Amino acid sequence: MVFIVFYIYGRKSIYTGKGESIENQIDMCKKYIFEKFADVSNENIHIYEDEGFSAKDTNRPNFKRMMRDIKINRPDFLLCYRLDRISRCVSDFSLLVEELNRINVAFVCIKEEFDTSKPMGKAMMYIASVFAQLERETIAERVKDNMLLLAKKGIWLGGNTPYGYTSIKEKTIMPDGKTKAFYELSERIEESRIVKVIYDNFFKFKNINQVKDFLITCNHKNRNDKYFSNTQIKSILQNPVYCAADFASHEHFKRLGFDVCFDPTKSQGCGILSYNKRDYRKTGAPKRKTDEIIIASGNHKPIIYGKKWIHIQKILTESSRKRNIKEKTYLLSGIAFCEKCGSKMFAKKRYNDPEKFDYICNKKLLYGKDACNMANFCGLETDEAVLSALNFIKIKASMLSDISSRRCIDENSRFFLTTEDKKRILKRLNIKIMLCDDKINIFLP
């Protein structure tokens, strides 16, 4: 008695509620097998399923596992419900068929009734794969066209409403005749005044910490009735929704490579909306490439002119670059911890004396004394105390081999080492440093 072995593959995307479920796909493939072949038992049928994966490629865990098993076990048939359950990419499909032909495995699509064990079935399957890819690309183009249409109408697609605005629900008729709900942004006066205060003070101080302190002094709070954090302030400063859709912003976004679709001569008095910023089909919804992001004019009132908004972006970029450089010059910044709340301690320059700095608890830095009342530590004195306690002078030159192999290290002088070198040594030694009021606690591994 000859046993025929069958592999069945089923796939269902999570991005649509339409189409056959994986269970139905498998059941129909089994029904096909039992009708076409005699004396087939369930032991001869092996099932592979991928739930929540699109057909844009074959990068799916169970599909890969199935292909490995096919190469090892050489089944007689691979069945699927429809061709697009495998892939909508012609090149992927061609490679699959060639591989199956090479190891003499027949490929059957029961819905289209294609069978690669026959010449005509193989030819028709190639033709169908071309149309499957065309369909996928047409869908993608249609989605982008709809996005552009919404952008031209200045429609807010929902999500977290920016601080300073409220969203009003409206409806519109799409090109396919369907009714789609959308939102328009409307100014929330009290909040928009605070946004203007944030922009004006950052333009004046060029420092987010000082802006945060000013907001606390004025008792300006966010929607959760809490003081603004540095992250929230920076997010407001970087959000183009507050920027006017004028000539300056048009040229700015064009120069950066964005897909700009507003006419500055017709969008006077309007703010900016951005579309297609993230790819929600992928894990973590990563940001899309610049040329895929659409910049349009909305129907809402802007808070800041384009030229000033662009200048603020340059200040933010420059301060971020300087902060990354300065972070290396502070020995304990990001290494020491606050013993009261467990947050990291970071360096902060003094307003009245920029040559001096303190270590301040990050929680206190972000949310103020109400979050953590840890006293600040004088930066230079704390660094000296830690270095003395560790007898830094006696650290052997071999400890620095991965830091600077070409530089001669004088192990009798710690001042020959840069602060960055010392910081790397502390990390390598895996020492934990806790700061609490007037005490410095050092825990050795």
Side-chain angles (χ1 to χ4, degrees), residues 86-114:
I86 297 292
S87 179
R88 285 195 174 105
C89 177
V90 175
S91 59
D92 285 339
F93 176 74
S94 299
L95 291 173
L96 170 68
V97 172
E98 291 303 319
E99 179 63 19
L100 295 177
N101 287 340
R102 187 182 66 80
I103 58 179
N104 199 29
V105 176
F107 181 35
V108 178
C109 293
I110 64 169
K111 189 69 175 178
E112 291 96 349
E113 296 186 358
F114 296 146

Side-chain angles (χ1 to χ4, degrees), residues 228-279:
F228 288 91
S229 68
N230 290 38
T231 303
Q232 290 171 330
I233 294 170
K234 186 175 182 180
S235 178
I236 288 173
L237 292 170
Q238 291 179 320
N239 196 336
V241 74
Y242 305 109
C243 177
D246 54 20
F247 286 96
S249 61
H250 184 274
E251 290 304 309
H252 171 73
F253 287 108
K254 272 284 188 184
R255 186 170 60 255
L256 293 178
F258 288 87
D259 185 1
V260 182
C261 67
F262 71 86
D263 183 349
T265 61
K266 299 178 181 178
S267 57
Q268 297 298 315
C270 297
I272 284 176
L273 290 178
S274 52
Y275 300 83
N276 205 37
K277 292 180 288 187
R278 295 186 176 274
D279 190 349

Side-chain angles (χ1 to χ4, degrees), residues 106-289:
F107 181 35
V108 178
C109 293
I110 64 169
K111 189 69 175 178
E112 291 96 349
E113 296 186 358
F114 296 146
D115 184 348
T116 59
S117 62
K118 301 173 184 177
M120 183 57 72
K122 186 187 297 185
M124 293 301 297
M125 195 171 285
Y126 274 117
I127 294 171
S129 70
V130 173
F131 282 100
Q133 178 169 337
L134 176 62
E135 180 186 11
R136 175 175 171 266
E137 292 173 354
T138 301
I139 291 172
E141 191 66 30
R142 191 182 303 128
V143 169
K144 186 174 182 180
D145 288 344
N146 285 340
M147 192 78 71
L148 284 168
L149 178 65
L150 294 173
K152 289 175 181 177
K153 290 185 177 182
I155 291 174
W156 170 254
L157 297 182
N160 294 326
T161 307
Y163 187 83
Y165 298 98
T166 185
S167 55
I168 302 172
K169 190 173 182 179
E170 301 286 351
K171 292 182 179 180
T172 187
I173 306 298
M174 300 302 291
D176 56 8
K178 294 182 180 179
T179 301
K180 185 177 180 65
F182 69 94
Y183 296 83
E184 281 193 352
L185 295 179
S186 178
E187 184 181 16
R188 185 175 282 180
I189 302 297
E190 289 303 316
E191 289 185 358
S192 66
R193 285 175 182 168
I194 295 175
V195 172
K196 193 172 188 308
V197 167
I198 290 173
Y199 273 98
D200 288 343
N201 279 275
F202 183 79
F203 194 78
K204 175 183 176 182
F205 297 127
K206 298 177 175 56
N207 184 289
I208 290 178
N209 283 321
Q210 288 181 264
V211 174
K212 184 190 69 177
D213 292 344
F214 183 84
L215 294 175
I216 292 173
T217 302
C218 298
N219 200 34
H220 291 322
K221 297 183 179 181
N222 59 29
R223 286 178 184 164
N224 297 323
D225 198 33
K226 294 182 179 180
Y227 290 116
F228 288 91
S229 68
N230 290 38
T231 303
Q232 290 171 330
I233 294 170
K234 186 175 182 180
S235 178
I236 288 173
L237 292 170
Q238 291 179 320
N239 196 336
V241 74
Y242 305 109
C243 177
D246 54 20
F247 286 96
S249 61
H250 184 274
E251 290 304 309
H252 171 73
F253 287 108
K254 272 284 188 184
R255 186 170 60 255
L256 293 178
F258 288 87
D259 185 1
V260 182
C261 67
F262 71 86
D263 183 349
T265 61
K266 299 178 181 178
S267 57
Q268 297 298 315
C270 297
I272 284 176
L273 290 178
S274 52
Y275 300 83
N276 205 37
K277 292 180 288 187
R278 295 186 176 274
D279 190 349
Y280 292 100
R281 299 171 301 174
K282 297 180 180 178
T283 305
K287 287 185 178 180
R288 294 184 183 273
K289 295 178 181 178

Side-chain angles (χ1 to χ4, degrees), residues 60-93:
R60 297 167 235 136
N62 284 323
F63 181 86
K64 290 180 177 179
R65 183 169 66 87
M66 179 187 72
M67 292 306 298
R68 287 195 297 269
D69 292 347
I70 285 175
K71 292 174 183 178
I72 296 170
N73 302 320
R74 306 291 178 94
D76 298 284
F77 288 89
L78 168 60
L79 288 86
C80 67
Y81 168 65
R82 271 177 45 181
L83 188 63
D84 61 6
R85 299 303 89 192
I86 297 292
S87 179
R88 285 195 174 105
C89 177
V90 175
S91 59
D92 285 339
F93 176 74

Side-chain angles (χ1 to χ4, degrees), residues 303-316:
I303 291 176
I304 183 171
Y305 288 112
K307 190 174 182 179
K308 189 173 181 179
W309 188 86
I310 294 164
H311 185 67
I312 283 175
Q313 305 317 301
K314 291 179 181 177
I315 297 173
L316 285 169

